[in-house]
Amino acid sequence: MSVIYDVETIGFVPALAYGLNFTLITVIAVYLHYHKLLPLLFEKRYVLYAILTLCTVTALNIVYMVIDYNLPFSYPMEESYFISYGYNSLSFVLVMIVSSMFYYVREWHLRQEREEHLRMQKLQTELDFLRSQINPHFLFNTLNNIYSYVQTGNEKTAPMIEKLSSILRFMVYDGNNTSVELNKEIDAVESLLEIHRMKNSTQSNIRFLWEGNKGYHLVAPLILINLVENACKHSDAVSNPKGFIHIDAKVIEDKFLQFSISNSVKQLSQKVTAKVGGLGLKNIKKRLSLLYGNNYSITENNDGDVYHLKLKIPLERKK
């Protein structure tokens, strides 16, 4: 606005020269304040900040006025030196205040990004740790089952190893991903159940019922299979003709997976029961909490004879 006013009084070229001088000094003031002085406030060096800011305003004011008064143009000054100094100082302070607002907004945004990055890094570290505990837990239990067949030379050993190989392939190649196709997780569950069925060819009460389309959904890996492995471990379906493992899975409204397990429970002593399988299920719940927050639900009921578990988790869609 002052340049337009000066054009009418002293002409375009002189007004442009005076305007550029003020703009250049203002840019220098903003740069020094933004990059050199404001960091002192974040370091809580308030006295040093105040002193250096005052010195900066004074020095820039002097430089501006020296250049202004020595330009080769006739400029009819209406204000006194002190009035001009005060006006310029106020202008510098105002642009510094504006730059401070941008600085604080930028620092707040960067701090939020750093905190989110650290949170995600911590979350991934915890998930990797829990996953590393679950995988050996599953492998240890399954290999124990196969070992008993190897000892007796049972013909079902080879098919069992083949099923275990497919499960391990899934765990190695897909288990480290943040999400996996639901049908792959279901295939791994079915392979695990087939291993369990092979232990007792007369047992027909191990079933898995599926409802809904699973071809284009994604879930967190190694959740369902480890829940089923936990049920297989604690069930007496192999040794008890009346024992059972019933698993039902259903896609609800293309948004949620409802997964339920019911199984008969081995009749062990209370002391032994308390020690067996606690780590695996505890880690699964911890993973669910880290992955889904409050967007999932899991309920359990164990009356000593039958164990029930119901899980509901959100589903993603393949892009």
Side-chain angles (χ1 to χ4, degrees):
M1 293 298 293
S2 61
V3 172
I4 296 175
Y5 173 77
D6 291 340
V7 168
E8 298 176 353
T9 57
I10 61 177
F12 176 76
V13 175
L16 181 62
Y18 290 120
L20 288 176
N21 178 37
F22 182 79
T23 301
L24 177 62
I25 299 300
T26 302
V27 169
I28 294 174
V30 171
Y31 175 83
L32 292 176
H33 184 252
Y34 191 91
H35 291 283
K36 304 299 181 181
L37 300 178
L38 279 176
L40 296 175
L41 282 181
F42 275 82
E43 298 172 7
K44 298 183 178 180
R45 302 166 69 179
Y46 304 118
V47 176
L48 181 60
Y49 167 79
I51 294 173
L52 290 180
T53 300
L54 179 62
C55 292
T56 300
V57 171
T58 302
L60 291 177
N61 221 330
I62 293 173
V63 171
Y64 165 75
M65 297 182 71
V66 167
I67 295 174
D68 216 25
Y69 291 137
N70 286 277
L71 287 174
F73 305 108
S74 174
Y75 192 92
M77 295 295 298
E78 299 178 358
E79 303 94 347
S80 67
Y81 172 84
F82 294 104
I83 294 177
S84 180
Y85 179 88
Y87 171 79
N88 294 335
S89 298
L90 179 61
S91 299
F92 294 151
V93 169
L94 288 176
V95 295
M96 285 180 175
I97 291 174
V98 174
S99 70
S100 299
M101 295 171 60
F102 280 103
Y103 185 88
Y104 277 100
V105 170
R106 173 178 171 273
E107 285 298 313
W108 177 83
H109 182 70
L110 290 176
R111 185 164 59 250
Q112 291 293 109
E113 285 187 342
R114 286 194 295 268
E115 290 178 356
E116 180 65 15
H117 177 72
L118 291 174
R119 189 186 71 82
M120 294 300 297
Q121 197 173 48
K122 179 176 179 293
L123 173 64
Q124 189 60 49
T125 301
E126 290 187 54
L127 288 174
D128 290 342
F129 173 72
L130 292 171
R131 192 153 43 201
S132 69
Q133 287 186 306
I134 290 174
N135 290 1
H137 174 266
F138 162 79
L139 183 60
F140 175 78
N141 291 330
T142 307
L143 286 177
N144 269 347
N145 295 333
I146 294 177
Y147 176 75
S148 64
Y149 268 50
V150 173
Q151 291 289 83
T152 59
N154 194 300
E155 62 181 9
K156 295 180 181 178
T157 302
M160 274 191 174
I161 294 176
E162 181 183 1
K163 292 295 182 181
L164 178 60
S165 176
S166 68
I167 294 172
L168 293 179
R169 192 180 303 114
F170 165 74
M171 294 172 68
V172 170
Y173 291 106
D174 297 293
N176 289 325
N177 298 329
T178 55
S179 60
V180 66
E181 294 175 11
L182 179 57
N183 59 341
K184 290 185 177 181
E185 182 92 9
I186 295 301
D187 289 344
V189 168
E190 290 179 336
S191 294
L192 176 59
L193 290 175
E194 187 60 31
I195 289 176
H196 212 57
R197 291 188 189 102
M198 290 179 187
K199 297 177 184 180
N200 186 348
S201 58
T202 64
Q203 176 59 273
S204 60
N205 208 11
I206 299 177
R207 65 167 177 79
F208 181 20
L209 299 181
W210 175 265
E211 183 179 344
N213 193 325
K214 58 181 182 290
Y216 50 82
H217 292 110
L218 299 174
V219 292
L222 307 180
I223 296 293
L224 306 183
I225 188 172
N226 280 288
L227 288 174
V228 175
E229 188 274 337
N230 189 72
C232 292
K233 177 182 177 182
H234 295 290
S235 171
D236 62 352
V238 173
S239 58
N240 182 4
K242 296 183 179 180
F244 64 91
I245 299 175
H246 295 167
I247 301 173
D248 297 277
K250 180 180 181 181
V251 173
I252 303 174
E253 299 178 351
D254 258 5
K255 295 180 180 179
F256 297 95
L257 173 66
Q258 183 171 290
F259 193 79
S260 60
I261 300 175
S262 297
N263 61 270
S264 55
V265 179
K266 292 178 181 178
Q267 298 302 310
L268 301 176
S269 67
Q270 186 176 358
K271 182 177 180 181
V272 174
T273 304
K275 290 183 178 180
V276 176
L279 179 62
L281 192 56
K282 181 179 179 182
N283 285 344
I284 292 170
K285 291 180 179 179
K286 180 65 174 177
R287 276 194 68 203
L288 286 168
S289 178
L290 290 172
L291 287 167
Y292 297 112
N294 297 323
N295 296 323
Y296 84 99
S297 65
I298 185 170
T299 57
E300 296 177 88
N301 182 41
N302 187 353
D303 61 10
D305 295 318
V306 178
Y307 174 79
H308 298 280
L309 180 142
K310 181 175 289 187
L311 171 69
K312 185 178 180 181
I313 56 176
L315 290 171
E316 300 177 39
R317 292 179 68 93
K318 292 172 62 176
K319 297 180 180 179

